[in-house]
């Protein structure tokens, strides 16, 4: 059994986007528009950055530059060291993004992110929810391109170790839509091929966030208190085989990453607002940075 | 995670099913040849136990030691006794012969038998739906009622440890149609033995679902599912009662069809395959639930 140590109590405000900086864990408190920093030595949690417009997913590129998906800001941004912000993407095909949720960055520095039409509070300009890629053009400006044409609510996304596969959580809450872990081949021209279903969650809550372990397996947060086997961390191999499952002490885990000097400490965020640490998972992480 | 040591007992070359542990050894079906075999785990011998079984598939003992079998090609549920003529338990519903009885579960009172009636074989449907039925013993007569009204193609059926739920594998093929779902379901058994609402314990999506199942001593479900063609591959799944996957184990042959525990201590797992193989595993660390 894994031991979940609570580092931050639930307060009703979703925590997300956990990333390891090399010395700390950053996580997001989107409702308060904040990025928080958990100091692994002192155990303190403090505000790292304010005014982030509903930041949700975070990720580093291989140079250690920090990117985030701002749901309320309807954009993907780069957080500069001087606390300024550069916009990476706020439109695709000439229309405003709906609500970027999570991101994955390839070795070429292209930013792949999930964009979802929220169920409430917005008149979207787009009529689809898809994976979007932001790539720098020759002039150094990011251009966006729609990459999936078969998602209705993409959430977590993750590259395989060899970057030849993009894992996508298609996690629609609507009963008539699907909740699946999919693997899309990344083709030589940079587009995505036809996906395979690695796992189907049926009527139950699908995957929110994912990270890789050192073996290239997929660590995923999913499930809920309402139905099915419950809130859970799954470990999938590349073909979708379930290698293990571990119940979580929260109702809806949102995301997961590894940190610590040896990348062997797991950090888990939740819809209720927790931050948990697991030191005895027996797993190690595999991160693009550091 | 520890891998299991799979020992091949025999490869018949055509589909094996219905593994059932008895005092005399392991009985199992070789469906296409209409043979029931018995494997003696003490001396390693395999012998034909019964011939002309009309495509017998799933088999199960009741608590008194009666052996029941689903004769798929024979379209009926029967009782076998060594060297005694077959007793027919159920052969038709509302005047139509069954489609292809496949697997069964027996309530501990030995008087209620659920059996699945899919149509995998490709014959024209005899009954327009593919459902689970209940055979209820009334004095000496078996009465048949329809138990499910929402299955596409039921396969393995299994009673929960507390006998309050019936696990049903809804496992249609049609693998080219991405809209067809394959689910392991848990149906509530009502006091009158009818089935209530089901919960989905596990969804296999576009991949091959559960074929046969058995219980371990903790009431967890050990199930055969999957194939080489897509998804994670042919596998034994170990599910908790709520559908949590405790473990999964790749099988050495394709298309695992069924499994049961056996041996004096109920700690050997026997697995049959669509390829015709029969394997045993002695190091699963699990035990069967002896009834």
């Amino acid at each position: 059994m894994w031991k979940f140590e609570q580092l931050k109590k639930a307060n009703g405000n979703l925590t997300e986007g956990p990333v390891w900086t090399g010395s700390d864990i950053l996580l997001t408190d989107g409702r308060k528009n904040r990025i928080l920093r958990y100091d692994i030595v002192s155990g303190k949690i403090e505000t790292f950055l304010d005014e982030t417009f509903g930041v949700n997913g975070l990720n580093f590129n291989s140079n250690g530059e920090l990117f985030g998906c701002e749901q309320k800001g309807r954009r993907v941004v780069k957080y500069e060291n001087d606390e300024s912000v550069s916009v990476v993407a706020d439109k695709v095909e000439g229309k405003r993004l709906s609500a970027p949720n999570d991101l994955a960055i390839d070795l070429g520095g292209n930013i792949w992110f999930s964009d979802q039409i929220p169920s409430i509070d917005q008149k979207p300009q787009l009529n689809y929810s898809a994976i979007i890629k932001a790539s720098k053009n020759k002039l150094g400006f990011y251009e966006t391109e729609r990459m999936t044409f078969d998602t209705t609510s993409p959430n977590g996304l993750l590259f395989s170790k060899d970057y030849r596969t993009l894992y996508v959580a298609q996690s629609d809450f609507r009963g008539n839509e699907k909740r699946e872990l999919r693997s899309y081949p990344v083709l030589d021209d940079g587009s995505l091929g036809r996906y395979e279903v690695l796992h189907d969650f049926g009527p139950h809550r699908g995957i929110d966030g994912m990270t890789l372990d050192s073996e290239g397996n997929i660590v995923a947060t999913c499930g809920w208190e309402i139905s099915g086997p419950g809130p859970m961390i799954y470990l999938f191999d590349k073909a979708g085989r379930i290698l293990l499952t571990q119940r979580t002490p929260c109702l809806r885990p949102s995301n997961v990453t590894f940190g610590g000097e040896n990348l062997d400490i797991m950090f888990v965020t939740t819809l209720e607002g927790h931050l948990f640490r697991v030191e005895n998972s027996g797993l190690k992480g595999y991160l693009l940075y550091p | 995670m520890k891998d299991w040591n799979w020992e091949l007992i025999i490869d018949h070359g055509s589909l094996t099913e219905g593994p059932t542990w008895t005092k005399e050894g392991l009985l199992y079906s070789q469906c296409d040849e209409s043979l029931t075999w018995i494997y003696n785990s003490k001396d390693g011998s395999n012998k034909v136990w019964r011939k002309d079984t009309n495509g017998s598939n799933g088999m199960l003992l009741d608590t008194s030691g009666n052996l029941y079998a689903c004769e798929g090609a024979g379209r009926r549920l029967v009782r076998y006794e060594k060297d005694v003529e077959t007793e027919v338990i159920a052969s038709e519903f509302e005047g139509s012969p069954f489609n292809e009885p496949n697997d069964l579960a027996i309530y501990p009172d030995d008087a209620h038998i659920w059996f699945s009636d899919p149509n995998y074989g490709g014959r024209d449907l005899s009954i327009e739906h593919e459902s689970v039925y209940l055979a209820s013993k009334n004095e000496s007569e078996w009465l048949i009622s329809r138990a499910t009204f929402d299955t596409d193609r039921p396969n393995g059926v299994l009673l929960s440890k507390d006998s309050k739920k019936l696990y049903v594998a809804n496992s249609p093929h049609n693998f080219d149609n991405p809209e067809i779902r394959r689910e392991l379901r848990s149906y509530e058994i009502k006091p009158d033995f009818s089935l209530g609402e089901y919960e989905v314990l596990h969804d296999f999506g576009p991949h091959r679902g559960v074929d046969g199942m058995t219980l371990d001593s903790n009431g967890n479900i050990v199930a055969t599912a999957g194939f080489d063609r897509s998804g994670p591959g042919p596998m034994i799944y170990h599910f908790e009662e709520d559908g949590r996957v405790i473990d999964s184990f790749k099988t050495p042959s394709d298309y695992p069809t069924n499994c049961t525990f056996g041996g004096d201590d109920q700690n050997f797992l026997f697995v049959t395959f669509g390829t015709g193989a029969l394997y045993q595993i002695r190091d699963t660390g699990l035990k069967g639930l002896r009834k």
Side-chain angles (χ1 to χ4, degrees), chain B residues 59-88:
Chain B
M59 296 191 289
L60 197 63
L61 289 177
D62 71 6
T63 61
S64 322
N66 292 301
L67 179 69
Y68 293 90
C70 290
E71 292 192 341
R75 299 182 184 274
R76 58 188 195 172
L77 173 69
V78 299
R79 189 176 71 83
Y80 291 151
E81 200 173 326
K82 184 146 178 61
D83 305 323
V84 172
E85 200 177 326
T86 298
E87 179 191 352
V88 177

Side-chain angles (χ1 to χ4, degrees), chain A residues 203-204 226-229, chain B residues 165 167-168 183-188 196-202 241-242:
Chain A
H204 313 306
I226 291 177
S227 71
Chain B
K165 286 177 289 186
Y167 303 122
V168 176
E183 298 171 335
L184 174 58
R185 298 176 175 176
S186 166
Y187 286 83
E188 170 206 2
E197 297 281 304
Y198 70 84
E199 279 184 53
V200 177
L201 297 189
H202 192 85
E241 285 189 29
D242 64 3

Side-chain angles (χ1 to χ4, degrees), chain B residues 98-133:
Chain B
F98 291 109
N99 292 314
E100 192 184 272
N102 184 288
D103 199 8
L104 69 160
I106 307 176
Y107 199 73
D109 66 1
D110 292 349
H112 295 86
I113 303 175
W114 285 273
F115 62 99
S116 59
D117 183 43
N119 191 49
Y120 287 104
R123 294 184 297 193
D124 287 343
L125 282 170
S126 170
I127 298 172
E128 279 306 312
H129 50 84
E130 300 178 44
S131 301
V132 176
Y133 294 86

Side-chain angles (χ1 to χ4, degrees), chain A residues 231-247:
Chain A
M232 202 85 71
I233 293 180
Y234 283 69
L235 182 68
F236 294 101
D237 80 1
K238 288 179 213 175
R241 177 180 167 200
I242 298 173
L243 299 176
L244 63 84
T245 56
Q246 185 69 49
R247 293 183 198 277

Side-chain angles (χ1 to χ4, degrees), chain B residues 52-277:
Chain B
D52 303 323
T53 56
N54 301 304
S56 168
N57 194 308
M59 296 191 289
L60 197 63
L61 289 177
D62 71 6
T63 61
S64 322
N66 292 301
L67 179 69
Y68 293 90
C70 290
E71 292 192 341
R75 299 182 184 274
R76 58 188 195 172
L77 173 69
V78 299
R79 189 176 71 83
Y80 291 151
E81 200 173 326
K82 184 146 178 61
D83 305 323
V84 172
E85 200 177 326
T86 298
E87 179 191 352
V88 177
I89 306 300
S91 60
E92 58 176 48
F93 180 69
E94 294 178 344
S96 301
F98 291 109
N99 292 314
E100 192 184 272
N102 184 288
D103 199 8
L104 69 160
I106 307 176
Y107 199 73
D109 66 1
D110 292 349
H112 295 86
I113 303 175
W114 285 273
F115 62 99
S116 59
D117 183 43
N119 191 49
Y120 287 104
R123 294 184 297 193
D124 287 343
L125 282 170
S126 170
I127 298 172
E128 279 306 312
H129 50 84
E130 300 178 44
S131 301
V132 176
Y133 294 86
L134 174 66
S136 312
K137 198 171 192 179
N138 180 4
E139 309 271 322
S140 63
E141 200 184 3
W142 289 93
L143 304 175
I144 311 302
S145 56
R146 184 176 172 186
T148 64
F149 297 84
D150 48 21
T151 44
D152 306 296
R153 179 161 289 184
N155 195 315
V157 287
L158 179 72
L159 208 57
S160 67
K161 189 177 180 183
D162 63 7
S163 301
K164 289 181 175 168
K165 286 177 289 186
L166 186 71
Y167 303 122
V168 176
N170 187 52
S171 302
H173 284 172
N174 309 54
F175 294 108
D176 296 325
N177 180 350
E179 298 311 313
I180 301 260
R181 318 313 285 174
R182 281 152 285 273
E183 298 171 335
L184 174 58
R185 298 176 175 176
S186 166
Y187 286 83
E188 170 206 2
I189 299 173
K190 294 183 177 175
D192 67 355
F193 290 94
S194 67
L195 300 181
E197 297 281 304
Y198 70 84
E199 279 184 53
V200 177
L201 297 189
H202 192 85
D203 192 321
F204 292 84
H207 313 304
R208 177 171 176 259
V210 169
D211 197 331
M213 301 180 272
T214 193
L215 284 187
D216 76 6
S217 55
N218 294 318
N220 297 320
I221 304 162
V222 181
T224 54
F227 54 11
D228 277 331
R229 179 172 152 180
S230 73
M235 203 84 70
I236 304 278
Y237 284 81
H238 191 204
F239 293 104
E240 269 189 67
E241 285 189 29
D242 64 3
R244 179 171 93 88
V245 176
I246 302 166
D247 257 326
S248 61
F249 297 90
K250 287 197 179 184
T251 62
S253 187
D254 198 10
Y255 222 88
T257 54
N258 211 336
C259 57
T260 198
F261 287 97
D264 292 341
D265 296 324
Q266 288 287 299
N267 58 347
F268 298 173
L269 185 67
F270 295 95
V271 185
T272 54
F273 287 88
T275 58

